[in-house]
Amino acid sequence: MIKSSYVFLHCSTRVVTALRAFAAGGPAAQPLYIEVKNRITRSLIAGEWQPGAAIPSESRLAQQFKVSVGTIRKAIDQLVAEKIVVRQQGRGTFVSIHTEDRQFYYFFHIVSRDGGKEPPTHELLSLQTVKADVQTAAQLGIRQGERLHRVHNVLKLAGNPVIFDELRVAAARFTDLNASSFGARDGTIYGLYQARYGINVVRISERLSAALPSARVARVLGVDRGTPLLVIKRVAYTYHDEPVELRTSWVNTRDHEYLSDLWKSEPR
Amino acid sequence: MIKSSYVFLHCSTRVVTALRAFAAGGPAAQPLYIEVKNRITRSLIAGEWQPGAAIPSESRLAQQFKVSVGTIRKAIDQLVAEKIVVRQQGRGTFVSIHTEDRQFYYFFHIVSRDGGKEPPTHELLSLQTVKADVQTAAQLGIRQGERLHRVHNVLKLAGNPVIFDELRVAAARFTDLNASSFGARDGTIYGLYQARYGINVVRISERLSAALPSARVARVLGVDRGTPLLVIKRVAYTYHDEPVELRTSWVNTRDHEYLSDLWKSEPR
DNA sequence: TTCGATTTGTTCGTATGTATT
DNA sequence: TAATACATACGAACAAATCGA
């Protein structure tokens, strides 16, 4: 049996809330750990820590921000829950990257009807630069008439074309996007955004419906025009809910389905 | 400026892990707060605290389980994340109920194309008792040939039929399920399960595809048989991932879409 | 309306366990 | 082995919301 005794002299000098409100000079009145979370997020946006790299340790951040480790912990807890960073015991806390399987499948929901998830292969069909119409501009938070890159893409599973994709991104954000950079990428498209343009997709919102294919989509997917397809309209967001990509996917659901698993706080 | 001084005599006698492993008499070796979470979940399953009722306060649970409040807090944090309970500052912690809007829309993903969520109205079409085929039995965790209730239902939004539903549940679990109890319910179907059968649906998994309607579905939804529909196959689970209901929905996506918002840890 | 008791929310700090390097 | 980093657990104090006397 191990026993130990300590004597503390604890001088509590806490007028924290008042001090914080004063320091902020504003009516903020939000919890300290939220402010800490926002400051960390701002550093992430500024590119202070690159994807895959470790952010400073909890104790170091506690010193920098002059708060307790517990408060840092609670701030990072939220970033972990939003999958913006990942923790590894004994190693550190790392900015999420899109090259890892888990991260990838978090954004890819098409699975084989018999359960298995297969690695897809991509094929670029076309890459154009067009002007944004009013609706697209509104969704991307840009002005009508600004330039867009529009990419058409086909995605094959087990060798067969299953998904026809149309991506639209603001050309201003993705300056030198071209067919070769697109084709030469190692991993996922979001991995490319992250590695080449410093844009981290951290959340997506999707709207699904059923529709018949256009002639082109039918041809690419090898189905006739009476075959019902699953249509997925996706908006991808970076930090602070800023939209960065619009994507419409047409999916042949003969052998595949869209999996929406709501939801499991993955147990350890 | 407020100042205060304290003197602690801290006698640390912690061989906690060893003690716990010994007390449990097993190879558990899992964190204390996970054990606490499981004990609370077991009480929930046992119906010890009814939906809508408060569970004991954190300090009381800490006394009962002989752990610190912080450990209770961490256990309840997880139950909150899984939406099994909800916390209210100054009031207590309550078992989730399915009559509340937020809880409802957590399981209902059909929205109008122009954004708004409308309250749906239900209409019961039929309620039969049939024998489970091998696949249905496997999915529900029962034996082939056991009795099922099969319910057909139409769901209207803004007065128009939009969704055709087929539900299947084990008759053994839902003994006296009949048309009148089904029609007389106040709120949602899961609210009925909860109030009348003590079964809490806490998670669902859905697989989506596109298909053409059968003659019956087309007739009920008022579309022709060439109209592509969104097909949703859902499994609803109660505590510990036990499946309790299978549901297939056929959705007319002319004016509505399926919203998959992945995902936002709702800010406060 | 005020006050006090109760309950969750936030913040601090310490000690120790466990994984990584 | 030692240092570092996250994980778990404990405990305390105060803030904020709620509710009944």
Side-chain angles (χ1 to χ4, degrees):
Chain A
M1 178 88 98
I2 302 165
K3 273 206 180 209
S4 52
S5 303
Y6 304 88
V7 177
F8 293 88
L9 185 62
H10 185 150
C11 295
S12 156
T13 340
R14 300 202 209 120
V15 206
V16 176
T17 312
L19 277 178
R20 179 157 42 84
F22 178 75
Q30 63 182 343
L32 193 46
Y33 71 87
I34 297 287
E35 280 180 33
V36 169
K37 177 192 162 188
N38 289 337
R39 286 181 64 178
I40 296 175
T41 305
R42 280 199 292 276
S43 293
L44 253 356
I45 294 172
E48 205 163 310
W49 309 305
Q50 291 305 307
I55 71 175
S57 75
E58 295 175 348
S59 54
R60 190 127 44 220
L61 288 170
Q63 286 170 12
Q64 283 179 25
F65 293 160
K66 299 202 198 305
V67 300
S68 79
V69 179
T71 301
I72 297 289
R73 199 135 237 288
K74 197 156 179 180
I76 296 183
D77 277 345
Q78 295 215 335
L79 296 174
V80 169
E82 296 175 28
K83 300 195 195 290
I84 289 173
V85 299
V86 295
R87 278 203 265 241
Q88 282 181 255
Q89 184 176 356
R91 297 227 302 143
T93 302
F94 302 84
V95 184
S96 292
I97 49 181
H98 284 282
T99 56
E100 288 165 19
D101 276 6
R102 300 186 47 145
Q103 194 70 9
F104 169 67
Y105 286 117
Y106 182 63
F107 292 115
F108 185 70
H109 300 126
I110 302 299
V111 299
S112 165
R113 273 188 192 270
D114 45 46
K117 289 189 172 184
E118 322 142 54
T121 61
H122 294 257
E123 195 174 299
L124 179 64
L125 297 179
S126 68
L127 194 156
Q128 302 164 292
T129 301
V130 299
K131 285 187 191 292
D133 61 59
V134 64
Q135 195 192 353
T136 304
Q139 286 186 285
L140 277 177
I142 62 178
R143 281 191 306 279
Q144 182 179 3
E146 277 194 53
R147 286 167 59 246
L148 291 180
H149 293 312
R150 190 175 64 189
V151 179
H152 290 140
N153 213 30
V154 63
L155 202 143
K156 297 182 181 183
L157 290 163
N160 302 313
V162 176
I163 306 176
F164 181 100
D165 269 339
E166 176 179 271
L167 323 186
R168 282 163 295 162
V169 297
R173 265 184 187 274
F174 297 80
T175 43
D176 65 342
L177 185 70
N178 57 43
S180 65
S181 67
F182 213 86
R185 74 177 183 278
D186 268 345
T188 70
I189 292 173
Y190 293 159
L192 173 73
Y193 294 171
Q194 191 173 62
R196 197 172 173 101
Y197 304 99
I199 292 169
N200 293 272
V201 170
V202 297
R203 183 173 80 85
I204 60 177
S205 173
E206 297 185 318
R207 285 168 171 263
L208 286 76
S209 57
L212 297 177
S214 69
R216 181 182 184 193
V217 170
R219 189 172 64 248
V220 171
L221 295 184
V223 298
D224 69 61
R225 294 199 58 187
T227 305
L229 299 184
L230 188 64
V231 182
I232 307 171
K233 291 185 299 182
R234 166 190 290 195
V235 185
Y237 300 89
T238 185
Y239 304 117
H240 292 335
D241 280 340
E242 200 183 338
V244 295
E245 184 211 69
L246 303 181
R247 182 182 301 196
T248 306
S249 304
W250 286 265
V251 185
N252 179 358
T253 57
R254 192 192 64 173
D255 299 323
H256 297 84
E257 292 173 316
Y258 178 98
L259 178 61
S260 171
D261 220 334
L262 290 196
W263 131 126
K264 188 65 184 166
S265 84
E266 303 166 27
R268 53 202 66 224
Chain B
M1 177 86 99
I2 302 167
K3 275 207 180 206
S4 52
S5 304
Y6 304 89
V7 176
F8 292 86
L9 185 62
H10 187 148
C11 296
S12 156
T13 339
R14 301 207 205 117
V15 205
V16 175
T17 312
L19 277 179
R20 179 157 41 83
F22 178 73
Q30 63 181 344
L32 192 46
Y33 71 87
I34 296 287
E35 280 180 33
V36 169
K37 177 192 162 190
N38 288 337
R39 287 182 63 178
I40 295 174
T41 305
R42 280 199 291 276
S43 292
L44 253 357
I45 294 171
E48 204 163 311
W49 310 305
Q50 292 303 307
I55 71 175
S57 75
E58 295 174 349
S59 53
R60 189 128 44 221
L61 288 170
Q63 286 170 10
Q64 282 180 24
F65 293 159
K66 299 200 197 307
V67 300
S68 77
V69 179
T71 301
I72 296 289
R73 204 134 234 291
K74 194 154 183 181
I76 296 182
D77 276 346
Q78 295 215 336
L79 296 174
V80 169
E82 296 174 28
K83 299 196 195 291
I84 288 173
V85 300
V86 295
R87 280 203 262 240
Q88 281 182 256
Q89 184 175 356
R91 297 227 303 142
T93 303
F94 303 84
V95 184
S96 292
I97 49 180
H98 283 282
T99 56
E100 288 164 20
D101 275 7
R102 298 185 51 142
Q103 194 69 10
F104 170 68
Y105 285 117
Y106 182 63
F107 293 115
F108 185 71
H109 301 125
I110 302 300
V111 299
S112 165
R113 273 187 193 270
D114 44 46
K117 289 190 173 184
E118 321 142 52
T121 61
H122 294 258
E123 194 174 299
L124 178 64
L125 296 179
S126 68
L127 194 156
Q128 302 165 290
T129 302
V130 299
K131 285 187 192 293
D133 61 59
V134 64
Q135 195 193 353
T136 304
Q139 286 186 284
L140 278 178
I142 61 177
R143 282 191 306 279
Q144 181 179 5
E146 276 194 53
R147 286 168 60 243
L148 291 180
H149 293 312
R150 190 175 63 188
V151 179
H152 289 141
N153 212 28
V154 63
L155 202 143
K156 297 181 181 183
L157 291 162
N160 302 313
V162 175
I163 306 175
F164 180 100
D165 270 339
E166 175 179 272
L167 324 185
R168 282 162 295 163
V169 296
R173 265 183 187 276
F174 298 80
T175 43
D176 65 341
L177 186 68
N178 57 44
S180 64
S181 68
F182 213 86
R185 73 178 185 278
D186 270 345
T188 69
I189 292 173
Y190 293 160
L192 173 74
Y193 294 172
Q194 191 173 65
R196 196 168 173 103
Y197 304 99
I199 293 169
N200 294 271
V201 171
V202 297
R203 184 173 80 86
I204 60 176
S205 173
E206 297 183 319
R207 284 168 171 265
L208 286 77
S209 57
L212 297 177
S214 68
R216 181 183 183 191
V217 170
R219 189 173 64 247
V220 170
L221 296 183
V223 297
D224 69 61
R225 294 200 58 185
T227 305
L229 299 184
L230 187 64
V231 181
I232 307 172
K233 291 185 298 182
R234 168 190 289 195
V235 184
Y237 299 89
T238 185
Y239 305 118
H240 291 336
D241 279 340
E242 201 183 335
V244 295
E245 184 212 68
L246 304 180
R247 181 183 300 196
T248 306
S249 303
W250 287 264
V251 184
N252 179 358
T253 57
R254 193 192 63 174
D255 299 324
H256 296 85
E257 292 173 317
Y258 178 98
L259 178 62
S260 170
D261 220 334
L262 287 196
W263 125 133
K264 187 64 184 166
S265 84
E266 303 166 26
R268 51 203 67 222

